[in-house]
Amino acid sequence: MPELDAAATAASHRLDELLARVAAGDRQAFESVYQLASGRLFAICLHVLRDRGDAEEVLQDVFTTVWNKAAQFDRAKAAAMTWLSMLARNRSIDRLRAAPPRVLDDLSVAEEIPDLAPQPAFAAEQASDHERLQACLETLEPRRRSLIRLAFLDGASYEELARRIGSPLGSVKSWIRRGLGQLRVCLER
């Protein structure tokens, strides 16, 4: 959707400008960067670390790095969110590597550790569900499909989406609600 692409580009440029202001020591810009990016960065940390406490600590470390090294951001090399996401991912991986390996004194204890990997049947069912969801998403009008993806897969709030596309909040909520209804009907077939 052209208006969503334009809104995403505008948001990206805004983040670029905010990082430049953070590099100059602007605390208000730093707060705005946090407001715009912390949710997505926390999701990255949590995905890598699988522990909420560790993810929160790494996110704090990421924003300390942003404050101290914002001048190193080069918009010619990457978008601001890409740079921030890379910081979050790399810090999370560093945290995993720094954790001491778990040593088992008695190997018989290993038999008691549950295998948390999905069973093949579950993985196949999950893949099938994913394919059905993608097929149903494709049946939606492009605006609704795009809004649902941004809201539920990228974590954008309704208010943020309304600002991005320049539409009233009520309209955005209505489009998403109708799209979700269409998805439900499609998935129940």
Side-chain angles (χ1 to χ4, degrees):
M1 290 195 34
E3 64 260 1
L4 286 178
D5 291 339
T9 301
S12 179
H13 289 307
R14 173 153 167 67
L15 208 47
D16 289 350
E17 292 165 6
L18 287 170
L19 278 176
R21 288 176 38 205
V22 170
D26 185 334
R27 291 181 185 273
Q28 195 72 23
F30 180 73
E31 185 176 326
S32 295
V33 169
Y34 184 85
Q35 293 292 329
L36 292 170
S38 62
R40 187 167 296 152
L41 299 183
F42 180 70
I44 291 168
C45 296
L46 190 57
H47 178 76
V48 172
L49 296 167
R50 305 282 184 203
D51 180 83
R52 185 175 187 84
D54 286 345
E56 289 170 352
E57 288 179 24
V58 169
L59 182 65
Q60 182 177 355
D61 184 43
V62 167
F63 276 98
T64 300
T65 301
V66 169
W67 178 254
N68 292 322
K69 297 188 177 186
Q72 292 179 2
F73 167 66
D74 181 358
R75 70 174 75 184
K77 291 183 180 176
M81 187 52 81
T82 303
W83 184 72
L84 293 168
S85 298
M86 182 197 63
L87 283 175
R89 182 180 174 280
N90 290 348
R91 292 295 158 114
S92 297
I93 291 170
D94 290 346
R95 176 71 170 247
L96 280 178
R97 288 179 180 154
R102 199 168 143 207
V103 178
L104 299 175
D105 294 331
D106 181 10
L107 288 180
S108 64
V109 175
E111 294 174 6
E112 298 172 17
I113 298 174
D115 180 8
L116 300 177
Q119 298 300 314
F122 177 76
E125 183 179 331
Q126 201 172 25
S128 174
D129 289 348
H130 178 75
E131 288 173 14
R132 285 182 52 227
L133 176 60
Q134 292 304 318
C136 286
L137 275 169
E138 291 303 316
T139 67
L140 298 178
E141 176 222 347
R143 175 186 294 162
R144 289 182 187 164
R145 178 176 55 241
S146 182
L147 288 170
I148 288 172
R149 282 190 170 134
L150 289 168
F152 294 97
L153 301 179
D154 292 345
S157 69
Y158 292 145
E159 293 82 5
E160 184 180 342
L161 291 173
R163 278 194 312 270
R164 281 187 191 180
I165 65 172
S167 294
L169 178 61
S171 296
V172 170
K173 287 181 177 181
S174 178
W175 292 329
I176 291 174
R177 186 173 41 252
R178 284 189 211 130
L180 290 174
Q182 289 174 304
L183 274 180
R184 185 179 68 245
V185 169
C186 179
L187 289 170
E188 289 174 351
R189 285 189 228 150

